[in-house]
């Protein structure tokens, strides 16, 4: 039944008064939005293992909700997606599209495109020209085969087909490259630069296509194009300087970004869209050009992204993709001829893009495999493709069958990109598994290499203080790699961080020897590197948390570092408050501990390096029970003892014989059924206890002057003795081994309920916020391939045992400038 849209009301009076909410615009829009988000998010979750971009799930979700699948039920279609609701849904979706294209313009740095060089320009030109020419050939076939297309203007149809086949989706490509960890490789850099050129060319071609899709009067098309050029000139010459002034007023030098400027900019997006729509191009073109006028990389651009990105990308943009799917009726592709046309379009699109890019890449002496991967990456379709197709459908250039064929082509070409690239190409990861296993191996004796990771500015003081205490003044230099860990999320701003960073490593390293580092975090370490014999190299790793450990371990292996320092996922402040960066970061630490090619230190920061304490020297305590991890901690303490401003105390816990011999023997047995999250895990390797005793009994391993050492008796409960030292405030930092080969004393607490199992029993006790410990804690795990396998255990007590008791004593020696 026909519905007069002017009679549709916004909201209902409610079911109690006899109104059906689905007969009213706003309640129906809410239901449609919920349905679209639920289906697209579910599909995104299902496609995540295939590493598919979110746009695939959103388009497929729209196709499922539309006439191709669920819409075959006419009652559902007339109730949930009636024809009168389409303009309302599309209007709301278009607002989201308008602001998303503003964000795309905000991301695109024209100056970086100019610096990309002739290689990226040549690849982009070939990737556009050959598919465009192929699109003209396909247009001949479609025009003579698909019913109704011969009624459309010849020039309009050719331009739309050429543009549809030649576009590369810049945002979608960036997401795919980031997911595959190719963004900072040579292939990724070239693909991004070429895609940026392609994006600019696509907008020019889109404006041309829209101008030609008018009433077919050549004079009108010319006026539209001239007006469009005038609009771009006005925006670049008049609006851009004004926005540069606004961005300057909102820079980090000012306390806050004025809300008036934010509102003015958002209104400017709408006004720019209105002007280009008035000209006759399309509103989104104006929003995109306005985004280009905003200065890149400042506080103003970041604030705009924060305000717009989540709401637009998470809520409104899926509506646009879904509305495209709702218009796609796969059933309109009927018969062998139509499916043959679909195969022809897909083959032509892929061949034109891949072969054109491949040929030019080979001319630029790029290896064949990388050239092929470039062609596959440049074949990615996405948002701009759908915009072209939707405009073509609105202008009656594309009918239902042609529209469905081109949407399916865009889906297929994007879907195959990730799996084919993964199949063909993986970035080379040189380096053997025999990387440094301790602070004495893997690097020349004159240099110790360390990789310090951080989440943000809050980690900088503690890491600099720790590095300074390790900096030797006698034996060897320290080379420090500082890695800023940034989570790659679905927000496009995390991609922007990658684009603006230097892309010459994996992850990328800043190779500038002089000048100013633009990143504040690396700048802090740059200033510190001037203080002593410390070479500092800053780096950034931007990955999903699930794969962040791969970046860390890869750099540790290729740079042959001896130890990785990781920040604990909790940071404690002086007022007993706790900052938790998230459970996901705890998982990163756990995976690094498991897969690291070198020793690892987990730093639990309780204000290490803060200037509140009047004594400038650092007081460090090495807690020693025995075993490889404790020996590694002791080696680190020996290096610290060489620093004139660091006072090191070694506290060795030893078993004391009971007079009555009535001790209990403790045995630990593997218990794989226990959860490693809630129980401590210990190495399954067999350790030679006699050899270990020889190693720790050497006189030089503790302080040479034991007569001046501190001697105290620990309680029978080893936990109390360790916690008492942490509570005393006598030490700024306590260094302990993870204890994967526990002594008899540590074995007593092996079945204790773990709060942070990755720290080991002693480290967990000291890191807990329930024990009142005020010292920072560094937990050391020594690297040894033979010790890698760990399992939870169950404690078995033999009450009839004889030998050493469970009570313990502590012997300590102080170290200042002597060798440990």
């Amino acid at each position: 039944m026909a519905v007069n849209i002017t009679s549709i009301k916004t909201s209902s009076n409610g079911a109690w008064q006899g109104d059906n909410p689905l007969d009213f615009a706003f309640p129906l829009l809410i239901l449609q939005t919920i349905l679209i988000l639920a289906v697209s998010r579910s599909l995104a979750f299902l496609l995540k293992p295939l590493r598919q971009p979110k746009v695939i799930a959103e388009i497929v979700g729209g196709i499922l909700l539309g006439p191709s699948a669920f819409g075959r039920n006419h009652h559902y279609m007339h109730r949930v997606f009636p024809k009168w609701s389409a303009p309302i849904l599309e209007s709301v979706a278009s607002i989201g599209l308008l602001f998303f294209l503003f964000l795309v313009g905000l991301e695109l740095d024209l100056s970086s495109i100019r610096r990309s060089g002739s290689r990226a320009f040549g690849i982009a030109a070939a990737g556009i020209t050959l598919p465009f020419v192929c699109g003209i050939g396909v247009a001949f076939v479609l025009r003579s085969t698909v019913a109704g297309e011969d009624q459309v203007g010849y020039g309009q149809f050719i331009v739309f087909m050429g543009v549809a086949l030649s576009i590369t989706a810049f945002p979608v490509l960036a997401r795919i490259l980031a997911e595959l960890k190719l963004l900072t490789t040579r292939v990724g850099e070239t693909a991004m630069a070429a895609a940026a050129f392609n994006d600019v060319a696509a907008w020019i071609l889109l404006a041309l296509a829209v101008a030609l899709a008018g009433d077919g009067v050549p004079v009108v098309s010319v006026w539209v194009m001239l007006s469009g050029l005038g609009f771009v000139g006005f925006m670049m010459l008049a609006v851009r300087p004004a926005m540069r002034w606004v961005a300057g007023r909102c820079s980090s030098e000012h306390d806050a970004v004025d809300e008036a400027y934010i509102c003015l900019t958002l209104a400017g997006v709408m006004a720019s869209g209105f002007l280009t729509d008035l000209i006759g191009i399309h509103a989104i073109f104006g929003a995109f050009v306005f985004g280009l006028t905003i200065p890149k990389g400042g506080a103003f651009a970041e604030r705009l992204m924060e305000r717009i990105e989540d709401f637009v990308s998470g809520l409104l943009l899926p509506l646009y993709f879904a509305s495209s799917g709702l218009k796609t009726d796969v059933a309109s592709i009927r018969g062998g001829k139509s499916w043959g046309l679909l195969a022809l379009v897909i083959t032509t699109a892929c061949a034109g893009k891949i072969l054109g890019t491949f040929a030019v890449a080979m001319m630029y002496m790029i290896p064949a495999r990388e050239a092929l991967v470039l062609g596959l990456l440049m074949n990615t379709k996405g948002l701009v493709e759908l915009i072209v197709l939707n405009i073509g459908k609105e202008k009656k250039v594309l009918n239902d069958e042609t529209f469905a064929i081109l949407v399916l082509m865009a889906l297929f070409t994007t879907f195959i990109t990730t799996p084919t690239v993964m199949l063909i190409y993986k970035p080379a990861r040189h380096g053997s598994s025999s990387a440094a296993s301790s602070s004495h191996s893997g690097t020349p004796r004159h240099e110790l290499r360390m990789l310090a990771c951080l989440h943000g500015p809050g980690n900088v003081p503690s890491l600099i203080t720790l590095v300074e205490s390790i900096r030797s003044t006698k034996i060897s230099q320290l080379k420090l790699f500082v890695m800023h860990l940034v989570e790659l999320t679905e927000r496009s701003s995390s991609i922007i961080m990658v684009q603006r960073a230097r892309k010459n490593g994996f992850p990328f390293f800043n190779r500038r020897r002089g000048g100013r580092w633009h990143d504040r975090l690396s700048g802090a370490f740059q200033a510190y590197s001037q203080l002593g014999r410390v070479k500092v190299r800053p780096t950034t790793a931007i990955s999903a948390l699930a794969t962040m450990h791969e970046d860390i371990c890869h750099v540790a292996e290729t740079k042959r570092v001896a130890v990785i320092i990781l920040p604990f996922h909790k940071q404690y402040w002086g007022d007993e408050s706790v900052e938790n960066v998230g459970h996901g970061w705890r998982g990163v630490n756990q995976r690094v501990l498991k897969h690291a090619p070198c020793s690892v230190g987990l730093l639990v920061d309780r204000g290490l390096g803060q200037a509140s304490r009047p004594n400038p020297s650092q007081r460090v305590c090495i807690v020693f029970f025995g075993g490889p991890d404790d020996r590694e901690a002791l080696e680190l303490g020996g290096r610290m003892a060489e620093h004139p401003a660091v006072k090191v105390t070694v506290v060795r816990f030893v078993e004391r014989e009971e007079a009555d011999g009535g001790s209990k023997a403790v045995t630990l047995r593997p218990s794989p059924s226990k959860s490693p999250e809630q129980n401590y895990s210990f190495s399954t390797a067999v350790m030679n206890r006699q050899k270990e005793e020889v190693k720790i009994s050497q006189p030089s391993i503790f302080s040479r002057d034991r007569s001046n050492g501190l001697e105290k008796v620990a309680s029978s409960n080893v936990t109390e003795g360790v916690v008492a030292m942490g509570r005393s405030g006598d030490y700024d930092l306590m260094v302990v081994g993870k204890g994967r080969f526990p002594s008899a004393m540590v074995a007593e607490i092996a079945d204790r309920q773990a709060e942070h199992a990755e720290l080991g029993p002693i480290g967990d006790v000291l890191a807990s916020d329930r024990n009142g410990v005020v010292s920072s804690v560094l937990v050391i795990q020594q690297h040894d391939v033979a010790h890698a396998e760990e399992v939870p255990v169950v404690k078995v007590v033999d009450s009839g045992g004889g030998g050493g008791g469970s009570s313990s004593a502590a012997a300590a020696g102080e170290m200042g400038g002597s060798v440990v």
Side-chain angles (χ1 to χ4, degrees):
M1 144 176 124
V3 177
N4 183 5
I5 194 169
T6 59
S7 66
I8 301 297
K9 295 182 179 179
T10 303
S11 58
S12 70
N13 293 318
W16 292 111
Q17 298 189 41
D19 283 353
N20 184 346
L22 299 185
D23 293 331
F24 296 83
F26 190 56
L28 182 60
L29 178 64
I30 293 174
L31 177 65
Q32 291 172 340
T33 303
I34 293 172
L35 198 58
I36 290 169
L37 291 178
V39 172
S40 62
R41 282 292 174 178
S42 300
L43 287 171
F45 178 77
L46 294 174
L47 293 173
K48 194 171 184 179
L50 300 177
R51 296 191 176 186
Q52 292 299 320
K54 196 171 62 171
V55 61
I56 294 286
E58 289 164 347
I59 298 173
V60 173
I63 292 174
L64 291 177
L65 291 171
S68 302
F70 299 160
R72 291 181 176 275
N73 184 322
H74 295 290
H75 179 72
Y76 152 84
M77 201 66 183
H78 288 300
R79 264 293 164 210
V80 181
F81 292 101
K83 288 185 178 180
W84 61 262
S85 71
I88 301 169
L89 178 64
E90 290 178 18
S91 295
V92 175
S94 295
I95 293 175
L97 181 66
L98 196 71
F99 281 99
F100 184 79
L101 266 298
F102 167 70
L103 288 177
V104 172
L106 193 60
E107 294 174 17
L108 200 60
D109 190 352
L110 293 177
S111 60
S112 67
I113 295 176
R114 289 195 297 268
R115 293 193 302 266
S116 297
S118 60
R119 182 170 67 175
F121 177 77
I123 290 172
I128 294 174
T129 306
L130 186 57
F132 195 93
V133 173
C134 292
I136 295 175
V138 171
F140 275 107
V141 179
L142 290 177
R143 217 176 129 77
S144 60
T145 307
V146 178
E149 288 294 4
D150 55 347
Q151 305 298 318
V152 182
Y154 192 72
Q156 303 168 14
F157 191 66
I158 283 180
V159 171
F160 267 97
M161 285 302 303
V163 172
L165 267 63
S166 60
I167 285 175
T168 296
F170 180 77
V172 178
L173 175 63
R175 173 62 51 187
I176 290 174
L177 288 170
E179 288 286 345
L180 297 178
K181 296 186 181 296
L182 296 176
L183 204 48
T184 56
T185 62
R186 184 173 66 171
V187 169
E189 294 171 29
T190 306
M192 286 294 287
F197 277 118
N198 195 299
D199 221 29
V200 174
W203 285 103
I204 296 172
L205 292 173
L206 176 60
L208 175 65
V210 174
L212 293 175
D215 294 331
V217 181
V219 177
V220 173
S221 298
V222 171
W223 278 113
V224 169
M225 289 300 299
L226 291 176
S227 301
L229 290 173
F231 171 80
V232 173
F234 171 76
M235 296 295 286
M236 292 299 165
L237 297 176
V239 177
R240 193 176 188 182
M243 295 312 299
R244 190 179 296 118
W245 178 85
V246 169
R249 298 282 297 172
C250 302
S251 65
S252 56
E253 298 174 359
H254 297 77
D255 293 335
V257 176
D258 195 331
E259 294 297 320
Y261 294 124
I262 298 289
C263 295
L264 178 68
T265 305
L266 298 181
V269 177
M270 307 291 280
S272 300
F274 176 79
L275 285 174
T276 48
D277 192 80
L278 182 67
I279 290 171
I281 303 177
H282 198 281
I284 58 170
F285 187 78
F288 173 76
V289 175
F290 185 65
L292 293 176
T293 66
I294 308 293
K296 313 297 186 246
F300 183 60
E302 291 177 6
R303 181 62 62 87
L304 284 172
M305 289 179 202
E306 290 174 2
R307 295 295 176 87
I308 301 173
E309 190 172 26
D310 288 333
F311 181 70
V312 170
S313 301
L315 182 66
L316 297 182
L317 198 62
L319 301 184
Y320 183 80
F321 288 120
S323 67
S324 300
L326 287 167
K327 297 175 191 173
T328 306
D329 186 3
V330 178
S332 64
I333 307 176
R334 301 186 188 93
K337 183 185 292 186
S338 295
W339 287 103
L341 289 174
L342 174 62
L344 173 67
V345 171
I346 291 175
T347 304
T348 306
C350 293
K353 200 73 162 178
I354 295 171
L355 292 178
T357 304
F358 178 82
V360 175
M362 291 292 289
M363 289 172 57
Y364 282 102
M365 308 302 292
I366 295 176
R369 180 174 291 186
E370 291 186 13
L372 181 60
V373 169
L374 270 174
L376 290 167
L377 291 170
M378 296 297 288
N379 198 34
T380 304
K381 310 294 182 187
L383 177 66
V384 183
E385 172 86 6
L386 287 180
I387 293 171
V388 170
L389 300 182
N390 277 290
I391 293 175
K393 200 170 190 312
E394 287 175 16
K395 303 291 186 181
K396 308 295 184 185
V397 176
L398 307 176
N399 63 15
D400 288 346
E401 184 178 351
T402 308
F403 180 80
I405 287 173
L406 293 175
V407 168
L408 291 180
M409 178 271 294
L411 268 177
F412 179 81
T413 53
T414 305
F415 185 87
I416 64 170
T417 299
T418 301
T420 50
V421 170
M422 290 177 66
L423 185 66
I424 293 173
Y425 180 79
K426 288 184 180 179
R429 290 191 169 198
H430 301 292
S432 65
S433 59
S434 59
S437 62
S438 72
S439 57
H440 287 299
S441 61
T443 56
R445 289 190 59 83
H446 68 277
E447 184 178 69
L448 172 67
R449 296 187 173 200
M450 178 183 294
L451 174 61
C453 302
L454 50 89
H455 301 142
N459 303 129
V460 172
S462 59
L463 279 176
I464 287 182
T465 303
L466 177 62
V467 170
E468 171 62 19
S469 65
I470 298 172
R471 179 176 65 90
S472 171
T473 58
K474 295 181 179 180
I475 297 178
S476 60
Q477 283 190 337
L478 175 65
K479 186 167 186 177
L480 179 66
F481 298 91
V482 180
M483 178 178 282
H484 183 199
L485 307 179
V486 181
E487 180 183 5
L488 177 67
T489 65
E490 291 186 352
R491 300 182 65 172
S492 60
S493 55
S494 60
I495 296 293
I496 299 171
M497 282 188 280
V498 180
Q499 291 171 234
R500 290 176 187 161
R502 298 185 172 272
K503 307 182 183 72
N504 51 356
F506 182 87
F508 39 90
F509 283 85
N510 189 335
R511 298 184 184 274
R512 286 180 60 184
R513 298 295 178 186
R516 184 173 64 88
W517 286 340
H518 298 288
D519 182 64
R520 289 183 301 163
L521 300 179
S522 59
F525 283 93
Q526 158 75 339
Y528 164 68
S529 69
Q530 307 300 323
L531 300 177
R533 293 192 301 167
V534 180
K535 301 175 184 177
V536 180
R537 290 281 301 279
T539 170
T540 305
I542 303 182
S543 292
L545 293 185
T547 59
M548 182 75 74
H549 68 283
E550 296 177 6
D551 291 355
I552 298 172
C553 294
H554 176 73
V555 169
E557 190 170 17
T558 54
K559 300 302 178 183
R560 294 177 291 118
V561 303
V563 61
I564 301 170
I565 303 296
L566 297 170
F568 193 50
H569 69 282
K570 293 180 180 178
Q571 189 168 10
Y572 302 91
W573 303 102
D575 57 357
E576 298 186 358
S577 62
V578 181
E579 180 185 352
N580 192 332
V581 295
H583 187 77
W585 288 105
R586 182 187 180 190
V588 172
N589 290 346
Q590 291 170 336
R591 287 185 287 273
V592 172
L593 285 167
K594 184 176 181 180
H595 299 287
C598 61
S599 297
V600 180
L602 259 174
L603 179 61
V604 182
D605 182 21
R606 287 192 173 96
L608 183 66
Q610 294 183 358
S612 58
R613 191 170 57 81
N615 188 0
S617 65
Q618 291 294 321
R619 302 163 301 173
V620 179
C621 175
I622 312 296
V623 181
F624 188 87
F625 288 92
D629 294 338
D630 285 35
R631 280 193 287 105
E632 187 78 356
L634 202 59
E635 294 285 357
L636 192 65
R639 190 177 177 94
M640 291 178 174
E642 297 166 6
H643 198 292
V646 179
K647 182 180 180 181
V648 177
T649 301
V650 176
V651 177
R652 181 184 180 188
F653 281 80
V654 294
E655 295 181 81
R656 185 174 59 193
E657 297 288 342
E658 296 290 345
D660 57 3
S663 63
K664 298 178 181 180
V666 177
T667 304
L668 301 180
R669 293 179 180 171
S671 179
S673 60
K674 282 189 172 183
S675 168
E677 287 283 329
Q678 300 174 348
N679 299 274
Y680 303 118
S681 296
F682 299 95
S683 178
T684 58
V686 177
M687 184 177 69
N688 189 326
R689 293 284 178 182
Q690 292 181 344
K691 187 180 291 186
E692 184 68 21
E693 286 297 324
V694 171
K695 290 179 180 178
I696 66 175
S697 63
Q698 298 173 16
S700 62
I701 204 164
F702 295 109
S703 173
R704 290 179 176 176
D705 185 8
R706 299 177 66 98
S707 61
N708 295 328
L710 175 66
E711 190 172 291
K712 62 181 180 178
V713 178
S715 65
S716 60
N717 188 334
V718 69
T719 304
E720 294 178 2
V722 173
V723 169
M725 289 190 293
R727 285 176 177 167
S728 67
D730 294 337
Y731 308 109
D732 302 302
L733 177 67
M734 297 183 68
V735 184
V736 301
K738 184 180 176 183
R740 291 169 297 165
F741 290 90
S743 65
M745 290 169 288
V746 177
E748 287 281 356
I749 60 173
D751 61 347
R752 176 180 174 272
Q753 186 73 20
E755 187 176 351
H756 309 104
E758 66 270 20
L759 299 179
I762 302 302
D764 189 20
V765 167
L766 290 171
S768 175
D769 53 359
R770 296 195 292 260
N771 293 331
V773 175
V774 296
S775 302
S776 296
V777 183
L778 180 64
V779 180
I780 300 292
Q781 173 184 287
Q782 186 193 58
H783 173 69
D784 193 326
V785 176
H787 302 164
E789 188 67 29
E790 299 178 25
V791 293
V793 298
V794 60
K795 185 175 75 172
V796 179
V797 180
D798 181 8
S799 59
S806 61
S807 59
S808 59
E814 293 202 18
M815 300 185 296
S818 61
V819 179
V820 181

